[in-house]
Amino acid sequence: MDKTWLITGASSGFGRGLAEKVLARGDRVIATVRRTGSLDDLVAQYGERLSVAYLDVSEPDAVQATVDKAFADFGRIDFIVSNAGFGILGAAEETSIDQMRQIIDTNLLGSIVVIKAALPHLRAQGSGRVIQVSSEGGQIAYPGFSLYHATKWGIEGFVESLAKEVAPFEIEFMLVEPGPSRTAFIGSIIQPEPISDYDGTPAHDLKEAAFGGGWVIKGDPDRMINAMIAAADAPKMPFRLLLGSDAYDGVHAALTERLAKLEAGKDITISADFTEEELAAM
């Protein structure tokens, strides 16, 4: 049977690619965009199976109204895809307070509000699947992406907790963690005003590689989207879906190092507890 998807950030990148593929197989899509007209070609092709809404996810009231209308118009929605977001590339010291607020309001708070707005409807229909597009950057960190990582590590913690809260309502979650891929993401990245003292340091070296062609990007967004759809359709979604060999290598190395450091500090860690004798005497 055809399914219904609500996809935020569908103007380009993973959002648009996902919308194209599920529409092509006969599903229905409610797509939110920030650029009017960006999906006109798909509307002309798919007609009533595609509904487009203008939405800035950093505006909570607008998010609530858009999600409520989507459920009112379409009835059941099978997949909520929280995808809207962007990146900032530069040293944390270079990033302005306004830029910090903007990325947190969009990537973190915006994602939380989208999911929260959908929960009453998903509970009412008795099930549903929520796909949060995160990043390999929700488990590892690159210099120069500190604010982006703050939002991705934050949304992963939120989803991990929330998944346990709503499991009794048959609401499932999947964190999609793509590695570097050949989407328009790099082109849309905000670059703060540089501080020359950071020239030759890791934050600026990465920026030069990203914009100078020195960063070889292996990830194929088309294959990544196919993997997302296959995982979404599975009898049980994986909780995390890591995509790309660079992502695998980076996350594997980070988790291995983190576990080794955890074990190395085990004696100090457990020494912070009351002793068994002290607990018995309480």
Side-chain angles (χ1 to χ4, degrees):
M1 295 178 62
D2 61 315
K3 302 292 185 181
T4 302
W5 303 67
L6 171 61
I7 305 171
T8 67
S11 296
S12 61
F14 288 115
R16 166 137 187 162
L18 180 60
E20 289 176 348
K21 286 181 178 289
V22 297
L23 284 166
R25 74 178 192 176
D27 290 355
R28 301 186 298 176
V29 173
I30 306 104
T32 79
V33 300
R34 290 191 62 184
R35 298 198 314 270
T36 57
S38 57
L39 297 183
D40 284 355
D41 58 325
L42 297 184
V43 172
Q45 184 175 358
Y46 293 107
E48 293 182 354
R49 284 202 288 116
L50 173 62
S51 174
V52 180
Y54 174 83
L55 178 65
D56 182 341
V57 298
S58 68
E59 299 174 357
D61 290 344
V63 169
Q64 187 70 61
T66 299
V67 172
D68 288 347
K69 186 177 187 302
F71 276 93
D73 290 348
F74 282 78
R76 179 180 180 85
I77 297 179
D78 303 283
F79 300 100
I80 305 294
V81 184
S82 175
N83 169 70
F86 68 96
I88 293 177
L89 178 52
E93 186 182 351
E94 297 169 335
T95 310
S96 71
I97 296 298
D98 285 344
Q99 289 168 337
M100 291 179 181
R101 287 197 179 103
Q102 184 183 4
I103 195 169
I104 290 169
D105 284 350
T106 300
N107 292 16
L108 180 55
L109 185 58
S111 296
I112 290 171
V113 171
V114 167
I115 295 170
K116 184 175 182 294
L119 289 179
H121 302 284
L122 299 178
R123 284 193 292 104
Q125 69 186 25
S127 65
R129 292 186 165 187
V130 180
I131 300 169
Q132 174 63 54
V133 178
S134 178
S135 164
E136 62 163 358
Q139 296 203 63
I140 62 175
Y142 292 99
F145 276 108
S146 55
L147 271 298
Y148 179 75
H149 289 305
T151 63
K152 294 305 183 182
W153 284 63
I155 196 59
E156 294 220 359
F158 172 77
V159 169
E160 283 219 28
S161 176
L162 180 61
K164 296 177 174 67
E165 294 175 8
V166 301
F169 307 113
E170 301 298 325
I171 300 172
E172 298 178 59
F173 287 82
M174 178 168 66
L175 287 162
V176 178
E177 299 171 330
S181 62
R182 300 194 180 197
T183 66
F185 177 77
I186 289 291
S188 67
I189 281 177
I190 291 175
Q191 299 181 66
E193 188 67 29
I195 297 173
S196 60
D197 284 355
Y198 283 92
D199 291 348
T201 69
H204 281 193
D205 289 346
L206 183 65
K207 184 163 62 173
E208 290 176 8
F211 292 101
W215 192 353
V216 178
I217 296 177
K218 302 176 185 176
D220 178 353
D222 190 64
R223 287 184 170 92
M224 289 181 174
I225 293 168
N226 287 340
M228 289 168 59
I229 294 172
D233 286 340
K236 183 173 179 57
M237 289 195 303
F239 183 71
R240 278 189 168 84
L241 181 66
L242 191 65
L243 297 171
S245 59
D246 284 343
Y248 176 86
D249 291 343
V251 171
H252 190 281
L255 294 178
T256 300
E257 180 182 6
R258 202 168 299 148
L259 184 58
K261 289 180 177 179
L262 175 67
E263 292 301 322
K266 180 179 178 180
D267 290 343
I268 294 174
T269 300
I270 63 177
S271 72
D273 285 349
F274 289 110
T275 66
E276 293 296 327
E277 293 77 11
E278 288 169 333
L279 289 171
M282 289 179 181

